[in-house]
Every structure is written in structure tokens, then in C-alpha cells.
Amino acid sequence: MKHSKGFTLIEVLIAFVILLTVVGSISFAYRSAVLSNTKAASAVEMESLLSLLMPTIRARLLMEKDLAPQTQEGILNDTVFSWQAKVVEKGSAPRQLSPEDGDWIEFPERYYLWNVTITFKRDFAEREYSFKVLTWSKL
């Protein structure tokens, strides 16, 4: 019997299957890392847009005379946003006892608590945030 130099077909096939398994595992891990990085970058960008929009929304609600629900839509840094705000609670200063006649003094409602919801949409990502804003009317 002659001994040949080289690998048999079975040995080559087994090595090929092992190689494919290793390459497949590495590509799956790489794809997962890229997808995770993309999601994290999108979340960070939306959070930064939120920090830009919150003071603007608060200023608009402070200037608002009408207590009807407020909405606005727009585009900022290729991200579509929309927000809605509605008054969820009204309040006044605590009543006080008048020193002159001993009667209770009631104050008008002038404090308003708004519930604000902002939705960001970019590419295939969508995030929604909610926060509350306290405003007041001037005397």
C-alpha cells in the first residue's frame, strides 16, 4: 500500500465546516455589535434633541394664554418630532386668613401642570418621552 501525502476528502470537509462555523460566529457577533452601536447612537441623538426642545416647549407653554391642548411638529437634524401638551392639573395658592376681618382669602387658579409628550422618528427608530411642566399666569 502506498502512502500518499496530503489530506483525505473527509479531513478537508471537516476543516471546512469548522472554518465556516468560526467565520459565521464572528460575523454574527460583528453584526450584533454594529446593530447595537447604531441603536445606541440613535438613542443618544434623540436624547440630545430632547434637551434642546424641552426649554423651548416650556417657554412656549409659559407664554400661552389658552389652556387648550397644544401641539407642534417639526424636523430637527433629520429627525421628525411632534409634541403634545395638555393641562392635567390646575391650582391656586393656599388660602390665607385675613388679619383685618378674620375671613379666609381665596386666590384664583393660576398654576397649571402640563403633561408633555414628545415623539421622535428617525429612519426606522421611534422614541417617545413624557415630562411635566409647571406654568403660571401673571396677576
Side-chain angles (χ1 to χ4, degrees):
M1 186 163 170
K2 236 181 181 181
H3 290 290
S4 66
K5 294 180 181 178
F7 298 106
T8 64
L9 180 60
I10 296 295
E11 291 172 332
V12 170
L13 287 176
I14 290 173
F16 185 68
V17 168
I18 291 171
L19 179 67
L20 282 179
T21 304
V22 169
V23 169
S25 299
I26 291 172
S27 68
F28 179 74
Y30 179 75
R31 183 173 176 263
S32 296
V34 168
L35 185 61
S36 177
N37 185 31
T38 303
K39 284 182 181 180
S42 177
V44 166
E45 173 135 5
M46 289 183 191
E47 293 279 340
S48 67
L49 293 177
L50 179 66
S51 66
L52 285 173
L53 282 175
M54 283 176 65
T56 305
I57 293 170
R58 185 173 190 280
R60 178 170 168 191
L61 293 176
L62 274 169
M63 294 186 306
E64 194 60 49
K65 304 287 186 224
D66 184 15
L67 297 180
Q70 304 293 315
T71 61
Q72 185 176 354
E73 295 179 352
I75 299 175
L76 189 60
N77 291 351
D78 297 329
T79 303
V80 177
F81 69 89
S82 64
W83 63 267
Q84 303 83 32
K86 66 178 182 175
V87 175
V88 291
E89 195 172 323
K90 300 176 185 177
S92 61
R95 63 185 189 159
Q96 294 181 353
L97 190 59
S98 172
E100 289 91 27
D101 56 10
D103 288 337
W104 287 103
I105 302 172
E106 298 285 337
F107 295 98
E109 287 182 343
R110 56 183 288 238
Y111 301 103
Y112 309 104
L113 185 63
W114 297 79
N115 187 36
V116 180
T117 303
I118 302 178
T119 304
F120 292 105
K121 294 178 185 173
R122 181 177 190 164
D123 299 328
F124 299 107
E126 182 174 332
R127 290 189 74 123
E128 184 174 292
Y129 300 91
S130 292
F131 60 94
K132 301 212 183 303
V133 174
L134 181 65
T135 62
W136 54 91
S137 62
K138 297 186 179 14
L139 293 175

